PDB file of all heavy atoms in Angstrom:
ATOM      1  N   TYR A 234     107.964 122.410  87.760  1.00  0.00           N
ATOM      2  CA  TYR A 234     107.174 123.518  88.303  1.00  0.00           C
ATOM      3  C   TYR A 234     107.818 124.038  89.575  1.00  0.00           C
ATOM      4  O   TYR A 234     108.625 123.352  90.190  1.00  0.00           O
ATOM      5  CB  TYR A 234     105.746 123.057  88.651  1.00  0.00           C
ATOM      6  CG  TYR A 234     105.057 122.284  87.574  1.00  0.00           C
ATOM      7  CD1 TYR A 234     104.888 120.900  87.686  1.00  0.00           C
ATOM      8  CD2 TYR A 234     104.546 122.939  86.440  1.00  0.00           C
ATOM      9  CE1 TYR A 234     104.239 120.187  86.699  1.00  0.00           C
ATOM     10  CE2 TYR A 234     103.904 122.226  85.456  1.00  0.00           C
ATOM     11  CZ  TYR A 234     103.757 120.848  85.577  1.00  0.00           C
ATOM     12  OH  TYR A 234     103.114 120.146  84.608  1.00  0.00           O
ATOM     13  N   VAL A 235     107.374 125.280  89.967  1.00  0.00           N
ATOM     14  CA  VAL A 235     107.793 125.801  91.271  1.00  0.00           C
ATOM     15  C   VAL A 235     106.869 125.164  92.310  1.00  0.00           C
ATOM     16  O   VAL A 235     105.804 125.677  92.626  1.00  0.00           O
ATOM     17  CB  VAL A 235     107.703 127.343  91.311  1.00  0.00           C
ATOM     18  CG1 VAL A 235     108.129 127.876  92.677  1.00  0.00           C
ATOM     19  CG2 VAL A 235     108.559 127.945  90.204  1.00  0.00           C
ATOM     20  N   GLY A 236     107.256 124.005  92.795  1.00  0.00           N
ATOM     21  CA  GLY A 236     106.382 123.243  93.686  1.00  0.00           C
ATOM     22  C   GLY A 236     106.664 123.490  95.150  1.00  0.00           C
ATOM     23  O   GLY A 236     107.371 124.431  95.521  1.00  0.00           O
ATOM     24  N   VAL A 237     106.068 122.649  95.984  1.00  0.00           N
ATOM     25  CA  VAL A 237     106.246 122.751  97.428  1.00  0.00           C
ATOM     26  C   VAL A 237     106.547 121.353  97.972  1.00  0.00           C
ATOM     27  O   VAL A 237     106.511 120.368  97.228  1.00  0.00           O
ATOM     28  CB  VAL A 237     104.974 123.293  98.121  1.00  0.00           C
ATOM     29  CG1 VAL A 237     104.618 124.670  97.604  1.00  0.00           C
ATOM     30  CG2 VAL A 237     103.786 122.342  97.950  1.00  0.00           C
ATOM     31  N   ASN A 238     106.821 121.269  99.278  1.00  0.00           N
ATOM     32  CA  ASN A 238     106.931 119.974  99.914  1.00  0.00           C
ATOM     33  C   ASN A 238     105.676 119.749 100.738  1.00  0.00           C
ATOM     34  O   ASN A 238     105.501 120.342 101.791  1.00  0.00           O
ATOM     35  CB  ASN A 238     108.174 119.919 100.807  1.00  0.00           C
ATOM     36  CG  ASN A 238     108.232 118.618 101.604  1.00  0.00           C
ATOM     37  OD1 ASN A 238     107.364 117.750 101.464  1.00  0.00           O
ATOM     38  ND2 ASN A 238     109.242 118.476 102.445  1.00  0.00           N
ATOM     39  N   SER A 239     104.754 118.949 100.237  1.00  0.00           N
ATOM     40  CA  SER A 239     103.535 118.642 100.978  1.00  0.00           C
ATOM     41  C   SER A 239     103.100 117.231 100.628  1.00  0.00           C
ATOM     42  O   SER A 239     102.345 117.014  99.685  1.00  0.00           O
ATOM     43  CB  SER A 239     102.440 119.657 100.639  1.00  0.00           C
ATOM     44  OG  SER A 239     101.325 119.444 101.464  1.00  0.00           O
ATOM     45  N   ARG A 240     103.609 116.255 101.398  1.00  0.00           N
ATOM     46  CA  ARG A 240     103.361 114.852 101.072  1.00  0.00           C
ATOM     47  C   ARG A 240     102.727 114.139 102.254  1.00  0.00           C
ATOM     48  O   ARG A 240     103.008 114.470 103.408  1.00  0.00           O
ATOM     49  CB  ARG A 240     104.698 114.196 100.698  1.00  0.00           C
ATOM     50  CG  ARG A 240     105.364 114.903  99.526  1.00  0.00           C
ATOM     51  CD  ARG A 240     106.782 114.429  99.265  1.00  0.00           C
ATOM     52  NE  ARG A 240     107.716 114.695 100.337  1.00  0.00           N
ATOM     53  CZ  ARG A 240     108.992 115.044 100.170  1.00  0.00           C
ATOM     54  NH1 ARG A 240     109.486 115.191  98.953  1.00  0.00           N
ATOM     55  NH2 ARG A 240     109.770 115.236 101.204  1.00  0.00           N
ATOM     56  N   LEU A 241     101.872 113.192 101.965  1.00  0.00           N
ATOM     57  CA  LEU A 241     101.264 112.356 103.017  1.00  0.00           C
ATOM     58  C   LEU A 241     102.206 111.173 103.215  1.00  0.00           C
ATOM     59  O   LEU A 241     102.418 110.392 102.293  1.00  0.00           O
ATOM     60  CB  LEU A 241      99.875 111.898 102.541  1.00  0.00           C
ATOM     61  CG  LEU A 241      99.027 111.063 103.508  1.00  0.00           C
ATOM     62  CD1 LEU A 241      98.667 111.855 104.760  1.00  0.00           C
ATOM     63  CD2 LEU A 241      97.738 110.611 102.816  1.00  0.00           C
ATOM     64  N   ASP A 242     102.806 111.072 104.413  1.00  0.00           N
ATOM     65  CA  ASP A 242     103.867 110.068 104.563  1.00  0.00           C
ATOM     66  C   ASP A 242     103.302 108.651 104.760  1.00  0.00           C
ATOM     67  O   ASP A 242     102.113 108.459 104.995  1.00  0.00           O
ATOM     68  CB  ASP A 242     104.852 110.460 105.666  1.00  0.00           C
ATOM     69  CG  ASP A 242     104.217 110.454 107.037  1.00  0.00           C
ATOM     70  OD1 ASP A 242     103.750 109.375 107.468  1.00  0.00           O
ATOM     71  OD2 ASP A 242     104.185 111.515 107.689  1.00  0.00           O
ATOM     72  N   GLU A 243     104.181 107.663 104.686  1.00  0.00           N
ATOM     73  CA  GLU A 243     103.770 106.260 104.713  1.00  0.00           C
ATOM     74  C   GLU A 243     103.069 105.859 106.007  1.00  0.00           C
ATOM     75  O   GLU A 243     102.101 105.099 105.985  1.00  0.00           O
ATOM     76  CB  GLU A 243     104.996 105.356 104.492  1.00  0.00           C
ATOM     77  CG  GLU A 243     105.535 105.411 103.067  1.00  0.00           C
ATOM     78  CD  GLU A 243     104.576 104.768 102.092  1.00  0.00           C
ATOM     79  OE1 GLU A 243     104.520 103.520 102.035  1.00  0.00           O
ATOM     80  OE2 GLU A 243     103.880 105.532 101.388  1.00  0.00           O
ATOM     81  N   LEU A 244     103.571 106.365 107.148  1.00  0.00           N
ATOM     82  CA  LEU A 244     102.949 105.993 108.424  1.00  0.00           C
ATOM     83  C   LEU A 244     101.531 106.544 108.515  1.00  0.00           C
ATOM     84  O   LEU A 244     100.615 105.848 108.926  1.00  0.00           O
ATOM     85  CB  LEU A 244     103.786 106.516 109.596  1.00  0.00           C
ATOM     86  CG  LEU A 244     104.894 105.604 110.086  1.00  0.00           C
ATOM     87  CD1 LEU A 244     105.609 106.243 111.280  1.00  0.00           C
ATOM     88  CD2 LEU A 244     104.330 104.231 110.476  1.00  0.00           C
ATOM     89  N   GLN A 245     101.351 107.806 108.133  1.00  0.00           N
ATOM     90  CA  GLN A 245     100.001 108.389 108.174  1.00  0.00           C
ATOM     91  C   GLN A 245      99.091 107.654 107.189  1.00  0.00           C
ATOM     92  O   GLN A 245      97.942 107.341 107.500  1.00  0.00           O
ATOM     93  CB  GLN A 245     100.034 109.893 107.842  1.00  0.00           C
ATOM     94  CG  GLN A 245     100.821 110.744 108.826  1.00  0.00           C
ATOM     95  CD  GLN A 245     100.286 110.685 110.254  1.00  0.00           C
ATOM     96  OE1 GLN A 245      99.170 110.217 110.501  1.00  0.00           O
ATOM     97  NE2 GLN A 245     101.081 111.142 111.205  1.00  0.00           N
ATOM     98  N   ALA A 246      99.604 107.392 105.995  1.00  0.00           N
ATOM     99  CA  ALA A 246      98.792 106.694 104.991  1.00  0.00           C
ATOM    100  C   ALA A 246      98.414 105.300 105.493  1.00  0.00           C
ATOM    101  O   ALA A 246      97.285 104.839 105.294  1.00  0.00           O
ATOM    102  CB  ALA A 246      99.548 106.606 103.664  1.00  0.00           C
ATOM    103  N   SER A 247      99.335 104.634 106.175  1.00  0.00           N
ATOM    104  CA  SER A 247      99.038 103.270 106.656  1.00  0.00           C
ATOM    105  C   SER A 247      97.940 103.324 107.714  1.00  0.00           C
ATOM    106  O   SER A 247      97.075 102.448 107.763  1.00  0.00           O
ATOM    107  CB  SER A 247     100.303 102.594 107.205  1.00  0.00           C
ATOM    108  OG  SER A 247     100.646 103.125 108.470  1.00  0.00           O
ATOM    109  N   PHE A 248      97.976 104.346 108.569  1.00  0.00           N
ATOM    110  CA  PHE A 248      96.924 104.473 109.586  1.00  0.00           C
ATOM    111  C   PHE A 248      95.582 104.750 108.913  1.00  0.00           C
ATOM    112  O   PHE A 248      94.550 104.187 109.285  1.00  0.00           O
ATOM    113  CB  PHE A 248      97.288 105.590 110.582  1.00  0.00           C
ATOM    114  CG  PHE A 248      96.460 105.535 111.830  1.00  0.00           C
ATOM    115  CD1 PHE A 248      96.557 104.461 112.702  1.00  0.00           C
ATOM    116  CD2 PHE A 248      95.583 106.556 112.151  1.00  0.00           C
ATOM    117  CE1 PHE A 248      95.788 104.397 113.872  1.00  0.00           C
ATOM    118  CE2 PHE A 248      94.811 106.504 113.311  1.00  0.00           C
ATOM    119  CZ  PHE A 248      94.918 105.425 114.170  1.00  0.00           C
TER     120      PHE A 248
END
Side-chain angles (χ1 to χ4, degrees):
Y234 311 106
V235 179
V237 300
N238 174 2
S239 187
R240 302 171 296 217
L241 183 64
D242 66 61
E243 289 291 283
L244 272 182
Q245 297 300 346
S247 75
F248 195 65

